[in-house]
Amino acid sequence: SIRLSPPARSLFDQPLAIAVQGLGPRQQVTLRTSLRDETGELFQASARYQAGDDGELDLARCPALPGGSFSGLEPMGLLWALQPQKPFWRLVKRDVQSPFLLQLEVFEGHGERHGRLLAQAQHERAFLRDGVRRVPVREGRIRATLF
């Protein structure tokens, strides 16, 4: 299973702790994140890991192995390494009132073709805290947005 902290929703600039529980001792897995921007374009990142002797994988303590989107100890690597499937596309947020929906998946093994899906989770990355309103301002020649 995938354990996220915060569990279901976080602000876009807030750290997200990712851990996987229930793996075999020193089991090799590939983690993949993906999200779609507002135009539907797919962004993905993946990293190869090896679980600890206890079958747990905590991205804050386990370095990513070479062969994925990044390597080394990068607890947030699966988020900052997201790349578009379409060349030269950028991840841009136009409507800050709706969150990005992040998909996380854990696959068995390290091959180019992913092995069996072991676990998956979804997480919302929001741009506004609960209770914050977006108010357009139009006064004479002034155009602004008040949050």
Side-chain angles (χ1 to χ4, degrees), residues 43-121:
F43 289 75
Q44 289 185 321
S46 66
R48 297 173 175 184
Y49 289 97
Q50 181 172 312
D53 292 332
D54 58 357
E56 184 160 328
L57 172 63
D58 183 347
L59 273 57
R61 293 183 289 129
C62 297
L65 305 172
S69 301
F70 61 93
S71 62
L73 188 60
E74 298 285 348
M76 294 284 291
L78 287 168
L79 280 78
W80 64 250
L82 286 164
Q83 291 292 312
Q85 300 300 295
K86 188 183 289 186
F88 309 111
W89 202 258
R90 298 185 75 124
L91 185 60
V92 176
K93 188 67 171 143
R94 297 196 191 320
D95 179 9
V96 296
Q97 296 179 98
S98 65
F100 276 136
L101 184 59
L102 184 69
Q103 305 284 338
L104 293 102
E105 298 168 306
V106 180
F107 294 96
E108 197 171 49
H110 286 169
E112 285 300 315
R113 305 188 80 203
H114 296 300
R116 181 172 58 101
L117 179 65
L118 301 175
Q120 59 185 359

Side-chain angles (χ1 to χ4, degrees), residues 6 8-16 34-38 43 76 78-82 90-102 123-130:
R9 181 179 171 95
S10 61
L11 292 174
F12 194 77
D13 60 350
Q14 181 180 8
L16 176 63
S34 59
L35 66 79
R36 291 196 181 271
D37 70 5
E38 293 164 325
F43 289 75
M76 294 284 291
L78 287 168
L79 280 78
W80 64 250
L82 286 164
R90 298 185 75 124
L91 185 60
V92 176
K93 188 67 171 143
R94 297 196 191 320
D95 179 9
V96 296
Q97 296 179 98
S98 65
F100 276 136
L101 184 59
L102 184 69
H123 187 82
E124 286 187 358
R125 298 290 280 176
F127 290 80
L128 299 177
R129 285 195 184 279
D130 291 338

